[in-house]
Amino acid sequence: MKVDLSFPLRGERIPQDHGYPLYSAVAAVVEAGEPEWLHHQTDVAIHPVSGVYLSDGHLRLKRGSAVRVRCHTNDLPRFLPLSGKKLELAGCSLRLGVCHTSALQPATTVYARRVTTRNGEDETRFDAEIARQLATLDIRGKPVRGQRRVLRIKDKTIVAHGLLVTELTADESIRLQEEGLGGRRKMGCGVFVPWRG
């Protein structure tokens, strides 16, 4: 069973494109004593951080901004050392609060801010790949591709899309939240949450 771990975030701002630097900062803490443990995990996801968009390429942190990690319950102890840690992300100083744990909640519609697939810049191929992955997970919900987004991972520019999946059963919703879609989930991609739009 997977859960979400939430570490309240204290600081002023964070880069809008923070997926890779946040993953690197989290890995530096949780891999202490076991190099590349997180790098090799395929079932851990790190949510994008929410905030208010600023014109200078940053997000202003707000009440409720947090670093959230989705993992199996047996991996929870590996992430607890993040509590109280200071992180530096591209010149932004952040402090993590004490961890809170929450169960995944079913919803008929779920949303991921960014989903990446191979050849995702081609919308037709992106849609076909999402349909294939949903079928593999035996999920009959309806995918709705959203806004095109661009992110950087090291020296690569990656195209992603927002993605809404509607008409889900409770079982399908939890399965999709646990499994995700596409790649780069430790960098904030393909992580689904209940849609509150």
Side-chain angles (χ1 to χ4, degrees), residues 9-12 49-52 59-66:
L9 196 51
R10 295 194 296 274
E12 293 183 6
V49 174
S50 63
V52 178
L59 296 175
R60 179 168 48 81
L61 297 180
K62 58 184 183 179
R63 186 174 183 175
S65 292

Side-chain angles (χ1 to χ4, degrees), residues 176-197:
L176 182 52
Q177 291 179 66
E178 287 195 332
E179 298 297 329
L181 294 176
R184 302 179 176 90
R185 282 193 279 285
K186 290 183 288 254
M187 298 168 210
C189 299
V191 189
F192 286 86
V193 295
W195 172 245
R196 308 195 189 284

Side-chain angles (χ1 to χ4, degrees), residues 59-79:
L59 296 175
R60 179 168 48 81
L61 297 180
K62 58 184 183 179
R63 186 174 183 175
S65 292
V67 170
R68 292 187 298 148
V69 177
R70 183 165 292 167
C71 68
H72 283 289
T73 51
N74 57 349
D75 285 330
L76 191 153
R78 291 184 176 270
F79 292 97

Side-chain angles (χ1 to χ4, degrees), residues 2 11 47 104 172:
K2 287 188 179 179
H47 295 251
L104 304 184
E172 289 173 336

Side-chain angles (χ1 to χ4, degrees), residues 97-166:
V98 175
C99 175
H100 301 279
T101 305
S102 59
L104 304 184
Q105 298 298 317
T108 56
T109 300
V110 297
Y111 175 72
R113 190 184 305 174
R114 299 179 302 210
V115 177
T116 64
T117 64
R118 189 183 301 274
N119 301 308
E121 65 278 0
D122 181 323
E123 294 178 354
T124 301
R125 294 176 77 169
F126 176 87
D127 293 345
E129 178 59 17
I130 291 303
R132 185 194 70 76
Q133 290 187 28
L134 287 170
T136 299
L137 293 172
D138 194 25
I139 293 173
R140 300 192 242 326
K142 305 280 191 295
V144 180
R145 177 174 27 82
Q147 183 177 353
R148 182 181 191 269
R149 304 175 189 275
V150 175
L151 58 145
R152 289 192 62 78
I153 297 175
K154 294 187 178 178
D155 59 347
K156 293 184 180 177
T157 299
I158 309 294
V159 173
H161 298 275
L163 189 66
L164 202 69
V165 183
T166 67

Side-chain angles (χ1 to χ4, degrees), residues 78-100:
R78 291 184 176 270
F79 292 97
L80 293 181
L82 286 167
S83 292
K85 286 294 188 292
K86 182 178 179 181
L87 304 181
E88 292 285 336
L89 270 68
C92 299
S93 294
L94 308 167
R95 176 78 65 181
L96 302 184
V98 175
C99 175
H100 301 279

